[in-house]
Amino acid sequence: MAFTNEQLERYSRHILLKEVGVRGQKKLLGAKVLIIGAGGLGAPAAMYLAAAGVGTVGIADADDVDLSNLQRQVIHTVNDIGKPKVESARETMLAINPDITVRTYREFIYSDNIADILTDYDFVLDGTDNFPAKFLINDACVMAGKPFTHAGIIRFQGQLMTYVPGQGPCYRCVFRDPPPKDAVPTCRQAGVIGAMAGVIGCLQALEAVKYITGAGELLTGKLLMYDALRNAFHTVNIKQDKECAVCSDHPTITRLVDYDRPDCDLEL
Amino acid sequence: MTIWIAGAKKEYRPGATLKEVAETERVENPVYVTAVVNEDYIKFGDFASVALKEGDRIEFVYFMGGGGYGVHQ
Ligand SMILES: [Zn+2]
C-alpha cells in the first residue's frame, strides 16, 4: 500500500518520528481499535485515534448526548444534544479524518454481546465509568486474548494500566472484585474535572498507538496514577496475581458474568 | 523507620502496621482500597496483620470508575 500525497501530508508529523515512520503509519492505517464508551475518556481517545489514522475505530455506547456531558465529552457539541453518542462521535471523527472507517455499536456491553463486538479488534479502550462494565471488559479481553487499556477518573485524579496477554497483570489481579453495589454513592456525587477525562483519555489513545506501532513501553505491569492537585504522575509496579480468578493458570471465572449495575449508568 | 508512601518519604515507628499507616495517612474509605507493599497486594482485611519494615514502599490503590465513586483523602 502506497501513501497518497494527501496521506503523506496529513500524517507527516508521525512519519517524521523514528518510532513511527512510514512503517508505523501503515500499521496504524491497518489497525482496528474498539472504544467502549463515547463519554469523557472515549471522546478525546476517539478524536486522537481518528486523527492518527487508525484505520478502523469501533465505538460502543447506548446513550444519547445530554447537556451535562459537554463539560468533558469534547467530541459532542450543543448541536448533538439528543443524538445517539455513537452517531455524534462518528460525525466528529470523520470530520477530522474521512480517511478512516468508524463502526458504531449503539448498545451497552453485557456478557452476551461483548465477545462478538471485540472479536474483530486488535486493541480495546475501556472508557466506561462503572465497575461491572470494567470487570466485564477485563474478563472478556483476558478470555479472548485481547490487549486493552483500563482507565478511571474521579475528581482531580486518574489512573491507567494496560493489559497485554501473557505480559503482565490484568485489572482483576489488582482490584479482584467489583465493590459492592450498595457501597457506591450515586454517580453525581463526587464529580470530575473535565480536563482529567482529556488527560487520561489521551493517555489511553497513546497506549493504543504505542501498542500498534511498537513504540516504547506500555503500561503493562504498571499502574499510572495522576493527581492534578499535587502535580504528580506516579507509577506503581504491579504483578500478575498467581491466584487471579481470570488470568491465572487455574481460573475460577471461565464464563462472563454481569454484575449489578448502578442505577445511574452515566458515562464518564 | 523510614518507609515510602506513594513515592514520598515518611517516618513511622518500627513495626507499624499497614492499618496504622492507612489511618495516619487518612486513606478514605479504606475498605475498598488495595495496598501494594513492595509488589504484594494486600486487601483491607489484612491491613492490621501486616507489620511494615524499614524501606518498604507502600501504595494505596483506589477503585476509580467515574464521577461517582470517590475514594481518596
Ligand atoms: Zn489477572
Side-chain angles (χ1 to χ4, degrees), chain B residues 17-36:
Chain B
T17 66
L18 201 48
K19 184 161 183 284
E20 287 173 57
V21 171
E23 281 164 6
T24 307
E25 300 297 321
R26 292 163 55 201
V27 170
E28 192 184 320
N29 220 345
V31 179
Y32 304 114
V33 168
T34 298
V36 185

Side-chain angles (χ1 to χ4, degrees), chain A residues 169-170 172-173 240 244 246-247:
Chain A
C170 76
R172 207 181 262 283
C173 285
Q240 192 190 17
C244 177
V246 68
C247 82

Side-chain angles (χ1 to χ4, degrees), chain B:
Chain B
M1 64 175 180
T2 301
I3 57 176
W4 300 82
I5 300 170
K9 195 175 176 179
K10 302 270 172 132
E11 290 299 327
Y12 274 86
R13 69 167 184 88
T17 66
L18 201 48
K19 184 161 183 284
E20 287 173 57
V21 171
E23 281 164 6
T24 307
E25 300 297 321
R26 292 163 55 201
V27 170
E28 192 184 320
N29 220 345
V31 179
Y32 304 114
V33 168
T34 298
V36 185
V37 176
N38 305 319
E39 283 198 342
D40 294 326
Y41 302 118
I42 297 167
K43 286 285 168 189
F44 176 72
D46 297 323
F47 278 16
S49 60
V50 173
L52 297 165
K53 305 181 304 297
E54 173 78 25
D56 277 348
R57 307 189 82 88
I58 297 116
E59 307 283 348
F60 293 105
V61 174
Y62 299 84
F63 273 111
M64 273 189 210
Y69 198 44
V71 277
H72 201 267
Q73 59 264 47

